[in-house]
Amino acid sequence: MDRKIKLVRIAHVYYTHKDMDRERRFLEDFGFQEVKRSGSKTYYRGTGTEPFVYCASEGDHNEFGGAAFVVESKEDLEYAASSLPHATEVHEMLDEPGGGLRVTFKDPVDGFPFHLVYGQTPTVASDAGLLQRKFNFPTQKFRPGNQFQRFKKGPAPVHKLGHFGMCVTDFAKTYDFYTSRFNFYPSDLVYDESGRDVTTFLHLDRGLELVDHHCFFFFEGPESHVHHSSYETYDFDTQSLGHDWLREKGYENCWGVGRHIMGSQIFDYWFDTSHFILEHYVDGDLVNSEHPTNRSKASPDGLHVWGPDLPPTFLQ
């Protein structure tokens, strides 16, 4: 049996857009920071240490170009190049912020690209001011007297890429591939009326290290496509300010604001100008190897505990 390739974290995603001028405005209004332009590509970072979290390319078709994960070692990257389906050779990331090495392979079931990277140079985090906010609760007051909460209207700053999700055409084959070849492990499995698993939320098994409840999810459907990519921001105030900013700019809300059940995060989904779905989230769960997989039956009520009703467009 092939050994597992050890992943450390999700790093960035790639999208292609037909109208880059409109999309650049959306991405800035969503809370990304432009870091570099190179040819047809524009790179965006968050306020964390990843050199970039989103790469937007201009092209003839609106397309999702896959997500990238950091591998634990150069040996993992070399093993990936020699063992994964339709994998490239290890190659330098010459134009990307942070540099580093990359291998790209094709998902064996639906053929979407998947990237593995190693050796990127981190950038300096720029979120110090956003971490100083204190809150008062009925029995615990964390904000000193005579200090006030004052907010400025604007985008909700993206801190990091948290997860992405795919619709796949064969759940069982896809699940077997990713859980046998990588250290993905299910936080949640969802089954249909027949008892067959059709959705999973996967975290990275890093032993006792706490990691996000999921960094990759997929569900079964008739045609493979990206569902959404998700970006962490700071707190509910920041998220709500971003929601109002996007609404006032005339962008189309997909679903939110609400609270998920699996993962627990407060969510806010938006359509970008190419009609891809991007999510702001806050307050997600953390898990480690002590967390047993939860298995539940698929239900519209199983996706959120409060917030607007689930819109049909979200599942389509």
Side-chain angles (χ1 to χ4, degrees), residues 21 28-29 35 49 58 63 67 76 79 94 118 123 125 134 151 164 197 200 217 220 235 244 263 274 279 284 290 303:
D21 289 336
E28 291 174 2
D29 287 329
V35 64
T49 59
E58 187 170 23
E63 293 180 306
D76 280 307
Y79 178 68
L94 296 174
Y118 178 74
T123 190
K134 293 180 172 63
F151 300 94
F164 83 109
D197 292 333
T200 190
F217 77 91
E220 187 171 279
D235 54 37
D244 287 348
S274 302
E279 177 192 15
E290 295 178 338
L303 292 180

Side-chain angles (χ1 to χ4, degrees), residues 112-277:
F112 56 85
F114 203 109
H115 313 278
L116 306 173
V117 298
Y118 178 74
Q120 287 183 292
T121 302
T123 190
V124 177
S126 59
D127 52 9
L130 289 161
L131 301 177
Q132 296 173 1
R133 195 171 293 154
K134 293 180 172 63
F135 295 89
N136 287 334
F137 299 97
T139 59
Q140 290 181 296
K141 310 297 183 182
F142 293 104
R143 190 167 69 254
N146 302 318
Q147 293 189 16
F148 311 104
Q149 297 281 36
R150 298 294 182 264
F151 300 94
K152 182 179 179 181
K153 291 186 176 183
V158 164
H159 172 68
K160 71 169 186 179
L161 169 64
H163 61 264
F164 83 109
M166 297 292 301
C167 178
V168 301
T169 58
D170 189 319
F171 177 88
K173 288 183 179 179
T174 304
Y175 180 83
D176 178 69
F177 175 76
Y178 287 102
T179 57
S180 65
R181 302 305 305 273
F182 303 94
N183 56 323
F184 286 116
Y185 192 83
S187 299
D188 277 274
L189 285 165
V190 181
Y191 60 91
D192 64 12
E193 291 285 345
S194 70
R196 188 172 65 92
D197 292 333
V198 292
T199 300
T200 190
F201 295 84
L202 300 171
H203 68 265
L204 293 177
D205 181 3
R206 303 287 302 167
L208 293 178
E209 176 187 344
L210 288 169
V211 299
D212 288 340
H213 172 272
H214 59 281
C215 56
F216 181 28
F217 77 91
F218 50 86
F219 62 96
E220 187 171 279
E223 184 177 348
S224 178
H225 63 273
V226 65
H227 188 266
H228 72 267
S229 55
S230 183
Y231 306 85
E232 187 173 22
T233 187
Y234 287 86
D235 54 37
F236 187 54
D237 283 300
T238 304
Q239 185 180 42
S240 297
L241 286 164
H243 178 96
D244 287 348
W245 182 261
L246 290 167
R247 177 177 50 80
E248 290 171 5
K249 293 291 183 179
Y251 299 111
E252 182 182 357
N253 182 245
C254 174
W255 188 29
V257 176
R259 172 77 81 166
H260 278 310
I261 295 174
M262 290 171 284
S264 297
Q265 66 265 40
I266 301 175
F267 62 83
D268 190 24
Y269 296 93
W270 290 84
F271 291 109
D272 73 2
T273 63
S274 302
H275 225 245
F276 293 116
I277 301 173

Side-chain angles (χ1 to χ4, degrees), residues 15 24 48-49 71 84 87 97 105 108 160 169 207 240 286 297 301:
Y15 286 86
R24 284 193 189 102
T49 59
V71 299
L84 295 178
F105 68 93
K160 71 169 186 179
T169 58
S240 297
L286 299 177
K297 186 177 180 180
D301 296 332

